[in-house]
Amino acid sequence: ATSDVVISLAPKSVTTPIAMEIASTLGGIPALTAAVVVCTGIFGGIAGFKMMKLSHVKSPIAQGLSMGTAAHAVGTSVAMESGYRYGAFSSLGLTLNGLFTALLIVSRVYNINVQYIKVVKPDGGPGCVRIDKEADKNHKKQSV
């Protein structure tokens, strides 16, 4: 497969808007990415709990996190039907997967060392993501 197809298939386990933006940023085909994300979600929603039962995964926490992380919104809706605990942890998995995927892709695209990403408010307190550019520049100088 060509590199743009491979890039388009890579972000298949995050929600559609995040996956399409990642594919677009990396030079993939956003429409292909959207189709693959929808198929992944439907497959995960249909087969996710069955596969975990076959694998003897019994914890509602593990099952919920797995459904949210792998099958995103469709998996979360199926998990909500199974119970509030499954749904809560599925929502957590969906959110964390989207957040970490977006942060790590940005760090790779812009060659930012992840350890220099800080969460700060506009007034300097904790709250928003900001990159400590000076520390990142010094790190790049030392590593060259």
Side-chain angles (χ1 to χ4, degrees):
T2 62
S3 64
D4 55 340
V5 172
V6 172
I7 290 169
S8 300
L9 299 177
K12 68 184 176 307
S13 289
V14 292
T15 59
T16 306
I18 295 172
M20 289 178 67
E21 188 59 35
I22 289 170
S24 176
T25 301
L26 296 178
I29 307 164
L32 176 61
T33 301
V36 170
V37 168
V38 170
C39 291
T40 300
I42 291 170
F43 178 75
I46 293 170
F49 279 117
K50 293 173 187 165
M51 291 175 70
M52 285 186 274
K53 186 175 182 180
L54 288 172
S55 302
H56 303 289
V57 177
K58 295 184 172 121
S59 167
I61 296 170
Q63 289 181 353
L65 283 171
S66 299
M67 287 297 282
T69 302
H72 39 81
V74 178
T76 298
S77 68
V78 171
M80 287 286 198
E81 292 174 0
S82 297
Y84 73 92
R85 179 177 270 176
Y86 294 94
F89 282 102
S90 183
S91 298
L92 179 65
L94 166 78
T95 304
L96 291 176
N97 187 28
L99 178 70
F100 287 129
T101 301
L103 283 175
L104 292 174
I105 290 297
V106 167
S107 71
R108 298 297 295 163
V109 169
Y110 296 105
N111 197 21
I112 299 167
N113 191 330
V114 177
Q115 74 186 51
Y116 299 117
I117 295 178
K118 296 181 179 178
V119 179
V120 294
K121 285 184 184 173
D123 64 359
C128 299
V129 174
R130 184 186 306 160
I131 297 163
D132 186 349
K133 293 180 182 175
E134 286 302 314
D136 190 49
K137 284 180 190 174
N138 291 338
H139 171 73
K140 287 178 186 174
K141 286 179 187 174
Q142 291 173 359
S143 62
V144 172

